[in-house]
Amino acid sequence: MKKIIQLICLLIPIILLQLKVKAQGIKSGSIYTITSKASNKVLNVSNASMANGGNVDIWTDTKSDAERWLVTSVGIDQYTFTNVASGKMLHIANTNPANSVNVNQNNNTIDNTVKWTIPGPVNGFYTIQSSANTGFVLDVNSGGTTDGTNVQLWTGNSGDAQKWSFQLQTVQDAAPTAIIADQVFEAWKVKYNIVNDKGFWGTAEMMEIALDAYEVTAYAKYRDMYDQMYNNFITNHGSDWMSNDYNDDIAWITISCVRSYLLTGNATHLNKGKEQFDKMFARANTHQYGGDGLVWKQGQAGTNSCINGPAMVCCCYLAQATGDNSYYTKAIAIYNWSKLYLFNENTGKVNDNYNGTVGTWSSTYNQGTYLGASVMLYNYTKDPSYLTIANRIAAYTKNDMYQSGVMNNEEGGNDLPGFKGIFMRYARRYMVDCNRADYIPWLHLNAKVAYNDRNTQTIITTQWATRTSEANTCTAFSASTPVSLMINCPKSLILIKDAYRTIESENMDYLKGVVAEPCPEGTYNLGGIQNGYYSAYYNVEFGTKGSASAEFRLSSVASGGTIEIRLGGLTGTLIGTATVTGTGSWSTYATITCKVSNVKGLQNIYLIYKGTGYVANVNHFKFYEDQTTTVQEMGVRGNVKAYPTPTAAQLTVDFGDKEANQITIVDIQGRVLYQDKGNFAGAKTLDISNLNSGVYFLTIYLDGSMPVIKKIVKQYN
């Protein structure tokens, strides 16, 4: 009986606490917006800051997570408020409450600076008192009603500026997601009537964002949008663009034309792009400084990275589109000349211009194009020096220009606000082609903050860490950069695909011609597939046992088409061919299989579709492992090793004859659990005893070579 009484005594405070919470109408563990009675605006972390000390103000409700708060009961009438976007708590900036003490966000200080007392509501409104001194309450400065009005402590006076209501919310996804990317794109497209934009190079850049969106999603609406914009561009600027003296402008529209051909097969676009690029190149290649740098503007001395970067990229695309490798020769010549005058290959810093002296300003535009050119030339030549420079350009942009933070500049003038969209395009290519998943968390941070800084029209400016006002007056070009960010940022933290698990066909990295459509079996399939179209899947891990067969889930009204499986490119090694069998209708699906060569390690897979008419609708595919071998280690490249695995505590990484600059360990959800940067050679022992048992991926970033990915198994201690 005594124990029962003791138990009841323990339970009574808990029951009373629950009753108290219920009586107040605030449910602990739930997410709320908190609205000021004076203005009907919500409690907000200014500019969606992720930092300690981020200011708190009021703002129009834009559905941003920076305006949502997780409310947690920590005692009778006492709560903490955790901002959903930042994970930081509503906090008073001084341990001694007083009038005008600022309110901000901070990590949990486990004291009364992050605790708030909320008495029962009066007519549906609450006062929110500082638990450090309940005489001081959450107050909107001077009863202000405009966006950005500061929130502070003030002596309680029962005014409307100190009354708040709570609106229960549901959990929502943070950016980036495919749905959010589509929403941001559509809002921008409609708001600015992008299809009918009449500019030149800015329009060309926005045309490329439509191509990016098609390449990433395979949605026909983006492909069709580009076609509309191309036709309008011809209407607005004619079919010969040489009256424009700015050679970089010509480079950008020709890039979009050639890319359109590579993605859709539209020969009209290729022919126009090639014609105009060749004319521009002939007039710009004046050998002004004893080399192959191109002149930025006709009739003006000097040269700029802003023409040489996109010119190299366009040359690479033209070589791919035409098979004429002399374009690669041109790109290499410009690249080598640029190393003398325009960028520092040792640091990765791309300078702005050369006119006898170097203009040292750097921008995301130039960092992006030189990053793209470095990757494309590495892919063509396999010369590791290009990859080394690409690594340095990417690192300089992330670490030196932005300190791994949110990109929040380049807002001035007509051209500058559109620059970051260019960087994002080539950052995606770098991450995918070079398997650099370590850059994804940085870009996820940018996407998350930028999206939380949107206005009610889902418009975001080029200053991604600055809230977009409701009276936004930024240009379509400025608003295009967050669209490029959302489209081009990988949605997953993991780039590697397991060859032996189902790969959804619409999760391709590159494509030609195919269209993503709703599939009767759920999710999407790739349809509209005709002869010569393809879909490519990069960073597919086959392990060391290797593959034996492949299977495809598809539908087709006729038999006889084929799916060629090639490594590394359209003309890469053929490892297998699947023959399409008619299923009777497009809505009836069947599984077909084929033998494949014993492929091992990390590979880029191209599925090339052959046949007459529409070949097939492909839902998904996978490979089957060769059961005749027993080797367990994944991702072997050279003599780099990691052992023992499984292991309970110590893992040795043997770099063999290689040198490395970074080691990371991620779990199967892509969360980075271990990271070490430095100059590594020989061998290094890692202590992973703190990891839970399970499967992890070890990534070793080698100097001048592709990263090595290894699967490791952690045992119980």
Side-chain angles (χ1 to χ4, degrees), residues 91 102 118 493 673 704:
H91 167 262
N102 199 44
I118 308 179
L493 290 169
L673 303 179

Side-chain angles (χ1 to χ4, degrees), residues 106-387:
N106 204 81
N107 291 335
N108 188 359
T109 56
I110 320 177
D111 61 20
N112 283 333
T113 62
V114 294
K115 295 177 183 178
W116 302 86
T117 300
I118 308 179
V122 177
N123 297 324
F125 290 93
Y126 299 81
T127 56
I128 302 175
Q129 304 168 344
S130 170
S131 293
N133 184 334
T134 57
F136 293 93
V137 303
L138 200 65
D139 174 89
V140 179
N141 185 32
S142 300
T145 59
T146 59
D147 284 345
T149 301
N150 196 48
V151 172
Q152 61 185 5
L153 287 187
W154 199 266
T155 304
N157 57 32
S158 301
D160 285 353
Q162 298 179 351
K163 294 179 180 179
W164 305 86
S165 61
F166 286 69
Q167 296 78 40
L168 185 65
Q169 305 295 331
T170 57
V171 175
Q172 60 187 9
D173 289 332
T177 69
I179 291 174
I180 288 173
D182 188 63
Q183 290 171 344
V184 171
F185 190 105
E186 288 299 314
W188 167 71
K189 173 188 172 185
V190 172
K191 167 74 174 177
Y192 294 100
N193 190 18
I194 297 300
V195 170
N196 294 309
D197 193 90
K198 295 182 178 180
F200 200 100
W201 97 271
T203 301
E205 252 310 289
M206 293 188 286
M207 290 166 69
E208 272 216 88
I209 294 175
L211 292 178
D212 295 337
Y214 172 59
E215 186 169 53
V216 168
T217 68
Y219 291 168
K221 65 179 182 179
Y222 296 128
R223 176 201 63 194
D224 297 343
M225 177 180 170
Y226 178 86
D227 289 343
Q228 289 180 276
M229 294 184 75
Y230 175 86
N231 292 334
N232 288 342
F233 192 92
I234 296 295
T235 298
N236 293 325
H237 299 287
S239 59
D240 191 328
W241 307 321
M242 292 304 110
S243 60
N244 186 330
D245 288 336
Y246 290 92
N247 292 315
D248 57 327
D249 289 11
I250 309 300
W252 284 115
I253 185 60
T254 56
I255 285 175
S256 86
C257 291
V258 180
R259 276 192 75 200
S260 173
Y261 167 76
L262 289 169
L263 293 175
T264 70
N266 190 316
T268 297
H269 296 172
L270 171 62
N271 293 337
K272 179 55 62 180
K274 181 180 184 304
E275 169 198 282
Q276 295 295 300
F277 181 84
D278 289 346
K279 287 183 178 181
M280 180 278 291
F281 191 90
R283 77 182 192 183
N285 190 20
T286 63
H287 305 285
Q288 184 178 24
Y289 294 105
D292 291 282
L294 304 184
V295 173
W296 170 50
K297 182 182 179 183
Q298 293 304 109
Q300 181 172 308
T303 186
N304 296 52
S305 294
C306 71
I307 171 57
N308 289 285
M312 288 187 289
V313 169
C314 195
C315 281
C316 292
Y317 280 134
L318 278 166
Q320 295 171 27
T322 65
D324 182 353
N325 287 341
S326 69
Y327 284 107
Y328 277 128
T329 302
K330 290 183 175 72
I332 291 169
I334 296 172
Y335 195 92
N336 290 335
W337 181 87
S338 293
K339 287 194 287 187
L340 299 175
Y341 297 104
L342 289 176
F343 80 93
N344 187 326
E345 61 182 302
N346 295 315
T347 65
K349 182 182 189 299
V350 183
N351 296 308
D352 181 65
N353 64 83
Y354 183 78
N355 189 11
T357 58
V358 175
T360 58
W361 175 66
S362 294
S363 68
T364 53
Y365 173 133
N366 294 329
Q367 295 293 129
T369 56
Y370 275 76
L371 176 62
S374 298
V375 172
M376 295 169 86
L377 289 174
Y378 171 72
N379 289 341
Y380 169 63
T381 66
K382 303 305 178 187
D383 181 343
S385 67
Y386 289 110
L387 179 59

Side-chain angles (χ1 to χ4, degrees), residues 503-580:
I503 298 174
E504 293 293 333
S505 64
E506 70 274 16
N507 289 341
M508 70 282 136
D509 293 298
Y510 297 107
L511 58 76
K512 179 179 181 180
V514 298
V515 174
E517 303 169 331
C519 178
E521 296 189 321
T523 67
Y524 281 76
N525 61 223
L526 288 184
I529 297 174
Q530 299 183 55
N531 185 57
Y533 288 3
Y534 72 86
S535 54
Y537 306 83
Y538 276 42
N539 304 303
V540 179
E541 180 56 75
F542 285 85
T544 55
K545 286 187 178 181
S547 55
S549 62
E551 74 170 26
F552 295 85
R553 184 71 176 171
L554 53 75
S555 68
S556 180
V557 296
S559 300
T562 60
I563 303 174
E564 294 182 354
I565 310 170
R566 292 185 179 271
L567 300 182
L570 298 176
T571 59
T573 301
L574 179 67
I575 65 168
T577 301
T579 300
V580 174

Side-chain angles (χ1 to χ4, degrees), residues 532-684:
Y533 288 3
Y534 72 86
S535 54
Y537 306 83
Y538 276 42
N539 304 303
V540 179
E541 180 56 75
F542 285 85
T544 55
K545 286 187 178 181
S547 55
S549 62
E551 74 170 26
F552 295 85
R553 184 71 176 171
L554 53 75
S555 68
S556 180
V557 296
S559 300
T562 60
I563 303 174
E564 294 182 354
I565 310 170
R566 292 185 179 271
L567 300 182
L570 298 176
T571 59
T573 301
L574 179 67
I575 65 168
T577 301
T579 300
V580 174
T581 301
T583 62
S585 75
W586 290 113
S587 60
T588 301
Y589 284 72
T591 300
I592 64 170
T593 61
C594 69
K595 292 182 178 180
V596 297
S597 304
N598 185 257
V599 175
K600 300 176 182 178
L602 200 64
Q603 302 289 345
N604 298 332
I605 298 297
Y606 279 71
L607 303 181
I608 304 170
Y609 307 102
K610 299 291 182 68
T612 57
Y614 290 104
V615 176
N617 288 345
V618 180
N619 187 0
H620 53 71
F621 67 97
K622 66 184 292 187
F623 294 87
Y624 285 91
E625 203 168 26
D626 187 343
Q627 299 301 315
T628 63
T629 59
T630 58
V631 181
Q632 293 183 348
E633 195 177 21
M634 294 177 66
V636 175
R637 186 175 288 114
N639 56 354
V640 179
K641 302 175 183 177
Y643 58 86
T645 181
T647 180
Q650 303 296 316
L651 179 73
T652 297
V653 181
D654 185 342
F655 303 103
D657 59 356
K658 304 288 186 181
E659 294 184 356
N661 54 62
Q662 183 174 321
I663 302 169
T664 62
I665 296 175
V666 301
D667 63 16
I668 59 175
Q669 294 179 319
R671 293 174 296 196
V672 178
L673 303 179
Y674 175 90
Q675 184 178 71
D676 193 7
K677 296 181 179 180
N679 297 313
F680 305 119
K684 180 178 177 63

Side-chain angles (χ1 to χ4, degrees), residues 375-541:
V375 172
M376 295 169 86
L377 289 174
Y378 171 72
N379 289 341
Y380 169 63
T381 66
K382 303 305 178 187
D383 181 343
S385 67
Y386 289 110
L387 179 59
T388 297
I389 293 173
N391 292 339
R392 290 169 181 167
I393 292 172
Y396 184 87
T397 309
K398 174 177 177 283
N399 300 326
D400 293 82
M401 292 177 66
Y402 293 104
Q403 295 75 51
S404 300
V406 180
M407 293 182 258
N408 193 45
N409 63 340
E410 299 182 328
E411 71 277 8
N414 296 321
D415 294 337
L416 198 60
F419 282 13
K420 287 191 288 295
I422 297 169
F423 174 77
M424 279 307 308
R425 178 173 306 117
Y426 299 110
R428 173 170 65 92
R429 176 173 286 275
Y430 171 66
M431 288 183 289
V432 171
D433 289 14
C434 304
N435 189 23
R436 293 306 301 257
D438 53 319
Y439 278 82
I440 298 177
W442 173 49
L443 296 178
H444 274 209
L445 169 66
N446 277 265
K448 178 180 179 179
V449 171
Y451 186 61
N452 282 329
D453 275 331
R454 68 194 183 276
N455 66 12
T456 56
Q457 296 176 295
T458 319
I459 299 299
I460 309 164
T461 75
T462 199
Q463 289 180 279
W464 297 344
T466 300
R467 187 64 65 89
T468 302
S469 72
E470 291 302 302
N472 165 58
T473 57
C474 77
T475 65
F477 199 26
S478 173
S480 74
T481 67
V483 180
S484 179
L485 168 66
M486 299 300 169
I487 291 292
N488 284 299
C489 184
K491 308 308 182 283
S492 170
L493 290 169
I494 300 176
L495 294 174
I496 295 174
K497 305 171 182 70
D498 187 338
Y500 309 116
R501 293 182 180 271
T502 297
I503 298 174
E504 293 293 333
S505 64
E506 70 274 16
N507 289 341
M508 70 282 136
D509 293 298
Y510 297 107
L511 58 76
K512 179 179 181 180
V514 298
V515 174
E517 303 169 331
C519 178
E521 296 189 321
T523 67
Y524 281 76
N525 61 223
L526 288 184
I529 297 174
Q530 299 183 55
N531 185 57
Y533 288 3
Y534 72 86
S535 54
Y537 306 83
Y538 276 42
N539 304 303
V540 179
E541 180 56 75

